[in-house]
Amino acid sequence: MDSTQLTSLLESVARGSVPVDLAAHSIGTATADLGFARLDLHRDLRCGFPEAVLASGKSVEDCVAIAAAFVARDVRMLITRVSDAQAAALRCAVPDGVWHERARIFARDKAPLCAAGLVVICAAGTSDLGVADEAAVTAAACGARVELCYDVGVAGLHRIEPVLPLLREANAVVAVAGMEGALPSVLGGLIDRPLIAVPTSVGYGTSFGGIAALLAMLNSCAAGVTVTNIDNGFGAGCAAARINRLVAGRGTHGS
Amino acid sequence: MDSTQLTSLLESVARGSVPVDLAAHSIGTATADLGFARLDLHRDLRCGFPEAVLASGKSVEDCVAIAAAFVARDVRMLITRVSDAQAAALRCAVPDGVWHERARIFARDKAPLCAAGLVVICAAGTSDLGVADEAAVTAAACGARVELCYDVGVAGLHRIEPVLPLLREANAVVAVAGMEGALPSVLGGLIDRPLIAVPTSVGYGTSFGGIAALLAMLNSCAAGVTVTNIDNGFGAGCAAARINRLVAGRGTHGS
Amino acid sequence: MDSTQLTSLLESVARGSVPVDLAAHSIGTATADLGFARLDLHRDLRCGFPEAVLASGKSVEDCVAIAAAFVARDVRMLITRVSDAQAAALRCAVPDGVWHERARIFARDKAPLCAAGLVVICAAGTSDLGVADEAAVTAAACGARVELCYDVGVAGLHRIEPVLPLLREANAVVAVAGMEGALPSVLGGLIDRPLIAVPTSVGYGTSFGGIAALLAMLNSCAAGVTVTNIDNGFGAGCAAARINRLVAGRGTHGS
Amino acid sequence: MDSTQLTSLLESVARGSVPVDLAAHSIGTATADLGFARLDLHRDLRCGFPEAVLASGKSVEDCVAIAAAFVARDVRMLITRVSDAQAAALRCAVPDGVWHERARIFARDKAPLCAAGLVVICAAGTSDLGVADEAAVTAAACGARVELCYDVGVAGLHRIEPVLPLLREANAVVAVAGMEGALPSVLGGLIDRPLIAVPTSVGYGTSFGGIAALLAMLNSCAAGVTVTNIDNGFGAGCAAARINRLVAGRGTHGS
Amino acid sequence: MDSTQLTSLLESVARGSVPVDLAAHSIGTATADLGFARLDLHRDLRCGFPEAVLASGKSVEDCVAIAAAFVARDVRMLITRVSDAQAAALRCAVPDGVWHERARIFARDKAPLCAAGLVVICAAGTSDLGVADEAAVTAAACGARVELCYDVGVAGLHRIEPVLPLLREANAVVAVAGMEGALPSVLGGLIDRPLIAVPTSVGYGTSFGGIAALLAMLNSCAAGVTVTNIDNGFGAGCAAARINRLVAGRGTHGS
Amino acid sequence: MDSTQLTSLLESVARGSVPVDLAAHSIGTATADLGFARLDLHRDLRCGFPEAVLASGKSVEDCVAIAAAFVARDVRMLITRVSDAQAAALRCAVPDGVWHERARIFARDKAPLCAAGLVVICAAGTSDLGVADEAAVTAAACGARVELCYDVGVAGLHRIEPVLPLLREANAVVAVAGMEGALPSVLGGLIDRPLIAVPTSVGYGTSFGGIAALLAMLNSCAAGVTVTNIDNGFGAGCAAARINRLVAGRGTHGS
Amino acid sequence: MDSTQLTSLLESVARGSVPVDLAAHSIGTATADLGFARLDLHRDLRCGFPEAVLASGKSVEDCVAIAAAFVARDVRMLITRVSDAQAAALRCAVPDGVWHERARIFARDKAPLCAAGLVVICAAGTSDLGVADEAAVTAAACGARVELCYDVGVAGLHRIEPVLPLLREANAVVAVAGMEGALPSVLGGLIDRPLIAVPTSVGYGTSFGGIAALLAMLNSCAAGVTVTNIDNGFGAGCAAARINRLVAGRGTHGS
Amino acid sequence: MDSTQLTSLLESVARGSVPVDLAAHSIGTATADLGFARLDLHRDLRCGFPEAVLASGKSVEDCVAIAAAFVARDVRMLITRVSDAQAAALRCAVPDGVWHERARIFARDKAPLCAAGLVVICAAGTSDLGVADEAAVTAAACGARVELCYDVGVAGLHRIEPVLPLLREANAVVAVAGMEGALPSVLGGLIDRPLIAVPTSVGYGTSFGGIAALLAMLNSCAAGVTVTNIDNGFGAGCAAARINRLVAGRGTHGS
């Protein structure tokens, strides 16, 4: 139920054509109450992507129960940071779900989306690939066409040059890097596309689990770079999808 | 000089139609050497917005010299974080420049841009207005139509409701907040537009000059929120402009 | 032994009706010396709730010995953060004790308390339920009637609305949240009841084990929110009980 | 406008007895729009105390404009962290306002409240008195009878003993301390009343502007202590008032 | 070899009565070279206590080799932070060594010291006992008579009173506490003896592994409290021993 | 009033030879109530040194009022961290007081103490002299004979050698250093005397106002070094005095 | 391919003697694309040492695939932070590789380098030896003659004296230390050679995993000390090699 | 007096050709005692550069007294971080000294050094020039030929290309950058020369006074980069000089 529908419903209440209790019930059922969790079934309509469930910190049983609730209501589902044990159980319980191992995402679409609009994900090092994949799977689940570039580190600038044409075609670019996190600064000076930086916890000592990369990205001298939480590939994928949807399909507020 | 021009120039070098030294000079003059600074005159072409000069930490004389260099080459100019003393000198030296006091920006356009595409800036509290204005002036300088909403704090949810329709029309929304920085989390659950969060240094004690707000924004449970440095209205304005330009004018990669 | 009893005892000493050594012994036995620990048996009288024993960091043997000492003196007992191994041993040793698994509390009442006065515990996400339960069991052990609301997150405001009437009846509200910790700010602007915020360590990256939520809560723009240590459901339960007892039973200092 | 009034108004809309636009206007005027700020005029009804305005970071002109708006609507007003210059201007503009110098608060009541219920504020050292006063003035403005105890430091326990009887009568106790912040731990073991700890920025070196005291208070081994932001006397006063109001006047949910 | 011996040796070199190479060899053999470590065999003479070996981070083989080197030269030996595996091997290799389990120390004296001078160790909670024991064993190994007081926490002041007479007899008092670390502040206001504070990593959340206690101790309002590293019972024992030796045996510089 | 006197007084109460109210008054007057502060007049008897008053953060008027109260009761007085304005007023108000400019201490003795027992203060650099002087004046005020050594830095080991004989005679050594704070580690390996390390805020960048030096001192590989707060010369002087008093004058618990 | 070759190739393109696509291919093959990683095969030519591969965070399969790629192209190879499982697999797959266990490095040279120029590695304690070895193996792999000195701690200055002559012969000295990290400060005042400090994570409590040592080294009062990341023996070895190569072999820019 | 001279002197003592007291005096006068400071007059001989005096935190009088002591003994002198007031006084007192305003250094050479060996200093932004100049003046004072490159930021890679040939000729390169500090990572991948990174405090918000840049540099993915304290141009200049001296003049340990 999105904003327009809600307004319309309230106007019906004012007109008397919809009784108060019915309207209340209709809005109330936007959440599915599992006894220990309330799923936000209208998130997709309201925000443009399904409520993602963070599996880490949940029991295997809770994960399966939540997945079953989504399946029962036939809405799109994205479960992130899934452990091996959780994945095994989910694959049994939801045979038509898809398991993205490197991204640690278990997903199920009610119907395949038609991919539209390009999102490019760049990973600075091989160890950043898990986070990059989380971003890629998320953006694809939100309807984007996704390309992934790996090992695009700043200590070897000649590895960046070949991917520039691709970056300059993208509706949104996601730059994933750990250690000193310099990739977004270098890319930000070379392209004019929306650029989302994702610091990763790759590194040791004073990388402080990704803080060094995070600070570098927040202080980027390349203007217009925005940043997500450390290792938050999911968030970056959603942010890219928010942009891509506008450019690819609904770009109608331009004048 | 943008990417296409650069490629074309290099091909001319390969064909022999442009000699090596001429090409080198042409590329070389993309920077203006002031003896203590090298201005990046092609930033606008490459990244879509002019090189902004951070006035803080520079002498009044250096600011004026830099401004004069931009005027002499007739390129767009955006000087941020300008002190009162710097502003006074700039207004003398560049009479056709514009002084945005609350935003602390001194700007000069070679020609007025035609505003296209809506960017909305939301400020949680009155003390966040300076940063919000910096974002607004920057986005406008990059060609966006800008609306500013103030005092949209989460401790009074009824103040958020009236601005939702406007937010749902925007190509990009910038949410500016200090203290606990909860505004983007609340907005992020209500709209599906690209959402850029700017933490401000408003607060005291454990706000730690904006760190509390920054962390809240990075950890937002609303998916797809991205974040800038503390008080970085300029960066948020640029990021919004990167998105807005794509949606408003060049939205051609959608299929 | 509470303050009045102590004063009375000292006056008896002054009158000579109680000899010094007897008085010293009487005060001395307020603690039970186990050879490695001294239990504070008068805590309940002095502060209104039993001395809770933090099990984490103690051996199974020490936990059982401490529990036995409480049982032997027939005082109320609350053991928190109990591991599975400790729980198994305690259930054998104290058959009439109660094991609250999700809250990780092992408790024993000498007599059931009559629940009086409402305390409401709100948990923002499913992963915050353990901490919320610790608060709920603690408050109930101190004599409150407790209601628990789950999945009341700020990214879906429509999930907060239905619980407002309950919150507005409570003598104290405990708001439990991880990640950006925005729940208390939103609730604090909607209700006028005492509001205790508990940050949890739920999150990753820059949540820094609950610091992001803690800072957000300390900087809440909603006035009158107070905060406990990270994951400190026990402390929040005690704080709510301190308030509830006054309102429900001893509200006699009002004029 | 509080929750009951809002519900009633919405039911009238559903019945058709109040038109939608009139209801919208009625709710809309709960905020006073000053062009740069929106005052929350219903905060008092909703939360039990007036919207306090934080003066720090605002210009003298803005402070006066905000004060004038409150006076014009004849609602209670509390302006905190007022500088000398702001105070001078406010005293001219609002002659019937009251200037609390040590607390840095400028206040105006439409009518004197009848003080009911005791709140006690304890300050560990002389340098903590400003913060303690801010708490005292705030609690009094919310209708409490307030007593202030000073120089109650833990390095001289004999200074704590004399004030215990007063503390044991209070509906809420606020303990204000800088440096090592041990006062709440000692008090928390001696009384059973609600206890709110306020760390102050008093100290040097590793006091880190109050962080040492804050951490000590959050980790207090005395159960049921809750904490506010550093130097946040206003917040502690509001929290004490939330409790005191329930105990002193509305203690009706006890059974 | 202590300072006097060294001076005397160098004077012999100047006189020609000791050749340069012999003197060099004599000084050189103050260290035992094990191929991967150089033991400081003169530490005892120079500083008044044996070189303690930190076992953590060393292999079982290295620990045994080091112990064997000490035994071969028949000097006193103190190995701290010994794991269970290391302890088992050391007990086999050095049958006349002593294993202090709770303190995690393996020690061997060439001859029993005659204990002189009282050192008192106070532990705030049961979980602080391991660190307190490390201090106690160390101080005893340096020749002090040691008393240990447990469960002397500030939330129950009546538990402190009984031990005050003992504390007032001590040449040095070591106060061990985790969580808010308030014990030294309270003791420091009650006694005039040298007082060494040891923060422990006991606690959770914002105790940050002992930082909260450390900061509280460094900021103690009780003058003359000094502090060691977190969990550093060994260091506190050495510091107490440095003081005790002067008072108990060499107190000859008093006038 | 010290511990023995207090015990004796309470026994008199028990015997009936002293009435309760008289005893209460006698204990009560141990503090001087100035209306905004309560001076601890018995600190000297209880802890061996006068209550020092921290001037920073107090008004000139308060400082003078406190000083007058000490003079009126003719007890020893030590006011630390005195500003120039405070010093000027104190020198007028207390003509027989002594102003130690570099140490920023204003002091007054009722009678000159007979200096007994040697305390040595070492300062690593010239910029550490202010803190070193604060320690020296404090220790002297507590009855010690004090020697000050300056510019004893570790980057020039030949400057340390000449002072070793003096250090080896001291009852307590205070080592004051900023920057990397290595002095105590080097001294701690060369002498067997009690050694108190004081980190100073001298340095820049990552010295973080003394944190680098503090951490180095807490982690000293020289066993038995204890540490005070950053820049806390006063605390170090008190700690040295606690030790020196025992060694120089009361060394009677040695067997 | 180094800078000179690159320039020459581009000039050939301009002359037309090398076609654009051939040049592009030639530059492009400087990286070996493994499908998940792109190895930088020209790093050795460009920077003077081979691209080192950080094994931690990579699967055993990826490590072996990367090693095979290096072997196939017969370039020098250095794999660092190798786990036991990775080492076992690498030793099977690359029989002529060398496994340095303590340094956790697996290496393979296409041809033995002739060692030239002395690099000395000093380790403060036995626990620092792993990091010191990583530096030593790396420097040797880059062509230096390497000497390792162990147990050179500042708490026993007599252990430093014997190694000074060796240090004064070195082209570069690497000082490895944990805990308070004072070794570089002491060495820096005694020798005039390039001095690289490596903080290690050896220590506990406030050593904060090496931060204490890092800060001490960054704040060293000995001028001209530079620092690497915590535990970064590899980086220090490379830095020493950068210096040593210039001194030992290419010292031709001296006038 | 350097190491060789010291050894020779001690041998003379052993032979009896130099009496003990004379040798002691000779070594003793290596420091000039000013009553509050001891200047290290042999630093130049021992470490290769003069003892630099940090002016910040010293009074004008002390600065002048120190300068006079250097002049009187006719040794080289380098006073850093000189304020305007200190500079004015020094220029009067030492007319043949040289005042480097941007570098804030006051220097005096007894005789001009013959510059040998190239050191290049790169500054990322105009605001980094002060720190870069401090490095340049220091390196020149130690005998290097110095070149300074400015505005070599990573967001405009075309500004780096032109300076690469110069960098590849240097004996040492110093890279000075604030904000995200990415410059050394980019340079480190392009050149094989010794590379010293200097983070500056340029930036705002999460630059945290240079911490962001420092962390980026410590975590550089370009191997062999070493780092100095924030804003420590002096230290970087010394480090470059230590290297340059070896390469340019004493490169004799190469085989």
Side-chain angles (χ1 to χ4, degrees), chain B residues 2-3 8 15 30 34 66 74 87 91-92 125 128 136 143 150 164 172 192 217 226 241 245:
Chain B
D2 67 12
S3 172
S8 154
R15 269 196 315 271
L34 306 190
I66 288 171
D74 198 29
R91 295 170 80 176
C92 283
D128 302 316
Y150 47 86
L164 281 178
D192 70 346
M217 291 168 176
T226 58
R245 238 184 351 250

Side-chain angles (χ1 to χ4, degrees), chain G residues 59-80:
Chain G
S59 69
V60 169
E61 292 70 32
D62 286 359
C63 285
V64 169
I66 288 171
F70 279 116
V71 171
R73 283 154 187 85
D74 198 28
V75 292
R76 278 195 289 158
M77 169 178 88
L78 205 64
I79 307 184
T80 64

Side-chain angles (χ1 to χ4, degrees), chain F residues 32-204:
Chain F
D33 191 337
L34 306 190
F36 64 94
R38 280 195 183 80
L39 304 181
D40 185 350
L41 301 172
H42 288 185
R43 180 75 57 91
D44 202 351
L45 292 164
R46 217 167 58 239
C47 303
F49 38 81
E51 188 184 33
V53 176
L54 184 71
S56 65
K58 293 199 172 61
S59 68
V60 169
E61 292 70 32
D62 287 359
C63 284
V64 169
I66 288 171
F70 279 117
V71 171
R73 282 152 189 85
D74 199 30
V75 292
R76 278 196 290 159
M77 169 177 88
L78 206 64
I79 309 184
T80 63
R81 313 235 157 177
V82 177
S83 70
D84 283 339
Q86 292 167 331
L90 286 168
R91 294 169 80 176
C92 283
V94 187
D96 60 342
V98 181
W99 170 228
H100 303 271
E101 185 169 4
R102 206 164 52 174
R104 315 300 312 171
I105 288 180
F106 188 83
R108 179 175 174 275
D109 285 343
K110 49 182 183 177
L113 282 170
C114 161
L118 177 63
V119 167
V120 180
I121 318 285
C122 293
T126 341
S127 310
D128 302 315
L129 274 178
V131 175
D133 257 27
E134 195 187 57
V137 171
T138 302
C142 296
R145 181 161 61 86
V146 177
E147 295 281 345
L148 177 65
C149 308
Y150 48 86
D151 242 338
V152 191
V154 299
L157 289 179
H158 55 295
R159 293 189 287 202
I160 291 178
E161 195 63 35
V163 302
L164 280 179
L166 187 68
L167 298 178
R168 287 181 177 134
E169 264 182 72
N171 288 334
V173 174
V174 175
V176 182
M179 301 175 82
E180 83 273 61
L183 181 58
S185 291
V186 169
L187 292 186
L190 294 169
I191 63 171
D192 69 346
R193 299 290 155 143
L195 180 52
I196 297 156
V198 187
T200 70
S201 53
V202 171
Y204 56 89

Side-chain angles (χ1 to χ4, degrees), chain A residues 44 48 50 76 109-116 138-144:
Chain A
D44 202 350
R76 279 196 289 158
D109 285 342
K110 47 181 182 177
L113 283 171
C114 160
T138 301
C142 296

